Amino acid sequence: MSTETQNDGDDLEDRVANFLRRNFPQIQMHGGSAAIQDLDRETGEVSIALGGACSGCGISPMTIQAIKSRMVKEIPEIEKVNAHTGMEGGDMGGSGGMSPSFPGETVDDDGTEADEGPEAPF
């Protein structure tokens, strides 16, 4: 029986991972990542960590909300979704997040900005 339970659990984890890949390819297209951090099969609670470019992204709160609302609808065993980026200040094993970079922005090795962006053509 424990083998069946383990197989069911693996199936649930696979379905959650497939949900993330299938529903949010734009996360990867924009340099971000989404990974299962914890999955509690008894309570139906899953924790998702958004990383890479998601840390510091202005629309990551909307992405998190979409994951939370859609996952509980599509995967009946999931009751609650916790999702976060490294920018919330919580220590859930994340890297602490990185500041996003913008076109024309250059940062020196000491972390200071080397310039103010592209120069105006006039």
Side-chain angles (χ1 to χ4, degrees), residues 13-65:
E13 189 169 344
D14 288 343
R15 287 187 289 144
V16 171
N18 287 332
F19 168 87
L20 292 171
R21 275 192 298 274
R22 186 179 69 249
N23 287 292
F24 298 97
Q26 59 271 47
I27 290 174
Q28 288 183 330
M29 291 184 336
H30 291 128
S33 63
I36 301 167
Q37 194 166 42
D38 186 45
L39 177 60
D40 187 333
R41 291 164 183 86
E42 290 182 20
T43 64
E45 190 168 340
V46 64
S47 294
I48 306 295
L50 298 178
C54 292
S55 296
C57 176
I59 64 167
S60 63
M62 289 183 279
T63 302
I64 289 170
Q65 189 57 41

Side-chain angles (χ1 to χ4, degrees), residues 26-119:
Q26 59 271 47
I27 290 174
Q28 288 183 330
M29 291 184 336
H30 291 128
S33 63
I36 301 167
Q37 194 166 42
D38 186 45
L39 177 60
D40 187 333
R41 291 164 183 86
E42 290 182 20
T43 64
E45 190 168 340
V46 64
S47 294
I48 306 295
L50 298 178
C54 292
S55 296
C57 176
I59 64 167
S60 63
M62 289 183 279
T63 302
I64 289 170
Q65 189 57 41
I67 290 170
K68 288 180 175 184
S69 65
R70 290 168 61 184
M71 189 180 292
V72 296
K73 290 178 183 174
E74 290 188 31
I75 304 174
E77 295 90 339
I78 299 299
E79 298 287 329
K80 183 177 181 184
V81 178
N82 300 306
H84 63 89
T85 65
M87 297 300 285
E88 281 92 23
D91 186 21
M92 295 189 66
S95 64
M98 294 175 48
S99 297
S101 60
F102 301 97
E105 179 181 68
T106 308
V107 178
D108 288 336
D109 290 336
D110 65 357
T112 60
E113 289 188 25
D115 65 43
E116 307 244 347
E119 292 183 21

